[in-house]
């Protein structure tokens, strides 16, 4: 199969920075949020992939499926919004005091939003109301769900782990083992730990178990870097995105170098590297069965204002050899 047959570019992509891509829990629908104030829903199995474009009053910074028919999103106007994907209607659940940087959701639990106002809030979609507000150490940049655990990554390299069944206080308060600002956190499918990425071309693999023995097994590694050439410094790129393969537990990282790498976290090896995309890889998502990988190629302004390739969405067919630990 040729490279073109392995990958397709989706039509009608967002027109301004892509902030999140997420596949539905049980089919090939893809939800995409962006700075162009739209939430787009694609069915990547169809030639005419765009199903709907739902416009909102603000730039959207994140989105998540609640179930196959509903989603949640948050953005710069501080609001957390509930979206009926079948009818393309939007309802505001409530507001933070500052921008909503990230949202997570699942059908058997609450919706959680994280904000630059240094709080997380829990929402009940049945009553469309907040059920709790919890102060964090600093601005919230990224979150991940792992069963009943919620991992919150913040400014100042703070990482707090909460038990959603007991929100009296965080279960663990940690500091990222990476020296620079946290960019993305995602949890392992086996619920044993999580991965943290930073703006300085590094990834750390962390375990929930706080015991000294378990913590000795955590590690960090360099990636998304270009070695120094004659007379030039090493180029180091932010690692913007992480996505775990649902069957094999390997994970893909996407960086501002435009590359996607796939890693075997257990054996500490890179399994493969996909082609270089036109600009920064801003977001990644595997489909529910791991057969597809969505790649958002979207400049993240790590080098300020400059000419860059237009925003684009690619969906790649994934072979087991590319994602299965050896």
């Amino acid at each position: 199969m040729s490279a073109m047959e392995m990958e397709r570019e989706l039509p009608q992509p967002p027109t301004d920075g892509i902030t999140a891509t997420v596949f539905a829990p049980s089919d090939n629908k893809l939800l995409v949020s962006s700075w162009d104030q739209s939430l787009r829903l694609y069915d990547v199995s169809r030639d005419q992939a765009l199903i709907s474009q739902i416009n909102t009053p603000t730039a959207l910074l994140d989105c998540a499926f609640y179930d196959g028919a509903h989603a949640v999103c948050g953005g710069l106007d501080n609001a957390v919004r509930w979206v009926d994907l079948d009818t393309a209607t939007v309802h505001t659940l409530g507001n933070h005091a500052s921008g909503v940087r990230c949202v997570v959701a699942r059908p058997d639990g609450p919706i959680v939003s994280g904000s630059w106002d240094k709080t997380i809030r829990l929402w009940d979609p049945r009553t469309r109301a907040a059920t709790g507000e919890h102060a964090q150490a600093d601005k919230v940049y990224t979150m991940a769900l792992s069963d009943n655990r919620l991992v919150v990554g913040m400014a100042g390299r703070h990482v707090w782990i909460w038990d959603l069944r007991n929100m009296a206080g965080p279960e663990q308060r940690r500091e990222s083992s990476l020296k620079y600002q946290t960019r993305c956190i995602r949890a392992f499918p086996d619920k044993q730990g999580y991965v943290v990425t930073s703006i300085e071309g590094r990834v750390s693999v962390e375990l929930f178990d706080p015991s000294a023995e378990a913590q000795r097994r955590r590690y960090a590694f360099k990636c998304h870097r270009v070695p120094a050439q004659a007379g030039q410094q090493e180029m180091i790129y932010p690692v913007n995105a992480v996505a775990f393969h649902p069957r094999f537990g390997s994970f893909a990282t996407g960086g501002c170098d435009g590359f996607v790498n796939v890693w075997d976290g257990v054996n500490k090896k890179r399994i493969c590297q996909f082609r270089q995309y036109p600009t920064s890889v801003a977001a990644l998502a595997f489909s529910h069965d791991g057969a597809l990988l969505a790649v958002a190629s979207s400049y993240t302004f790590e080098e300020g204002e400059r000419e860059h390739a237009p925003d684009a969405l690619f969906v790649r067919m994934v072979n087991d050899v590319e994602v299965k630990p050896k």
Side-chain angles (χ1 to χ4, degrees):
M1 187 177 289
S2 71
M4 290 186 66
E5 292 173 321
M6 289 290 294
E7 183 177 272
R8 64 178 293 211
E9 182 174 352
L10 295 183
Q12 299 169 274
T15 57
D16 200 358
I18 299 168
T19 54
T21 57
V22 58
F23 272 103
S26 59
D27 60 29
N28 289 335
K29 291 186 176 67
L30 179 71
L31 195 65
V32 179
S33 58
S34 75
W35 279 80
D36 73 1
Q37 305 186 5
S38 75
L39 191 66
R40 283 171 165 81
L41 181 66
Y42 299 87
D43 183 344
V44 303
S45 61
R46 301 188 336 186
D47 289 338
Q48 299 299 320
L50 184 64
I51 298 173
S52 63
Q53 177 177 325
I54 302 166
N55 295 317
T56 72
T58 190
L60 296 178
L61 302 181
D62 200 13
C63 63
F65 276 100
Y66 177 75
D67 56 28
H70 301 92
V72 62
C73 60
L76 285 184
D77 69 349
N78 311 347
V80 179
R81 291 182 167 87
W82 172 259
V83 183
D84 185 317
L85 297 172
D86 291 335
T87 61
T89 55
V90 181
H91 175 84
T92 299
L93 295 177
N95 294 274
H96 281 265
S98 190
V100 179
R101 178 60 188 88
C102 44
V103 292
V104 293
R106 65 171 188 231
D108 59 344
I111 293 165
V112 187
S113 57
S115 170
W116 293 329
D117 69 4
K118 304 181 183 179
T119 70
I120 59 171
R121 297 192 183 194
L122 278 61
W123 309 87
D124 185 340
R126 296 166 298 179
T127 61
R128 297 185 177 179
T131 59
E133 176 182 336
H134 304 277
Q136 306 299 293
D138 214 319
K139 293 179 179 180
V140 178
Y141 288 161
T142 180
M143 298 189 301
L145 281 174
S146 179
D147 198 16
N148 290 310
R149 284 190 170 105
L150 174 74
V151 189
V152 183
M154 293 163 264
R157 299 169 47 236
H158 299 283
V159 178
W160 284 8
I161 301 169
W162 294 80
D163 185 338
L164 292 172
R165 298 165 298 183
N166 178 11
M167 295 295 289
E171 184 180 71
Q172 298 180 49
R173 292 178 171 90
R174 296 184 178 185
E175 184 178 86
S176 170
S177 58
L178 306 178
K179 294 181 180 179
Y180 293 87
Q181 184 187 98
T182 299
R183 183 55 63 89
C184 183
I185 292 178
R186 293 293 181 265
F188 276 93
D190 66 6
K191 306 171 186 176
Q192 298 302 303
Y194 57 94
V195 162
V196 182
T197 77
S198 81
I199 61 171
E200 188 248 347
R202 288 179 190 265
V203 171
S204 68
V205 176
E206 307 285 343
L207 298 175
F208 287 126
D209 184 347
S211 70
E213 180 184 358
Q215 291 305 300
R216 282 194 292 270
R217 300 203 304 274
R218 69 180 189 170
Y219 66 94
F221 60 93
K222 299 176 182 178
C223 55
H224 296 280
R225 297 175 177 223
V226 177
Q229 305 296 324
Q232 295 182 333
Q233 292 184 327
E234 179 185 34
M235 293 294 293
I236 301 173
Y237 295 92
V239 185
N240 298 319
V242 176
F244 276 92
H245 193 274
R247 288 192 294 130
F248 297 127
S250 54
F251 60 91
T253 58
C256 288
D257 57 352
F259 282 105
V260 175
N261 296 312
V262 181
W263 307 92
D264 175 354
V266 175
N267 295 308
K268 305 180 183 180
K269 294 179 180 179
R270 187 171 74 180
I271 301 172
C272 76
Q273 182 179 73
F274 297 145
R275 71 174 182 89
Q276 189 173 28
Y277 288 89
T279 186
S280 312
V281 175
L284 294 169
F286 280 107
S287 59
H288 71 284
D289 57 2
L292 300 171
L293 176 66
V295 180
S297 175
S298 182
Y299 181 55
T300 55
F301 290 85
E302 65 278 359
E303 298 175 2
E305 289 283 355
R306 66 167 176 80
E307 290 294 319
H308 56 84
D311 300 295
L313 290 164
F314 299 91
V315 176
R316 180 185 180 90
M317 294 178 61
V318 178
N319 288 325
D320 282 1
V321 69
E322 298 172 321
V323 291
K324 186 176 182 179
K326 296 178 174 62

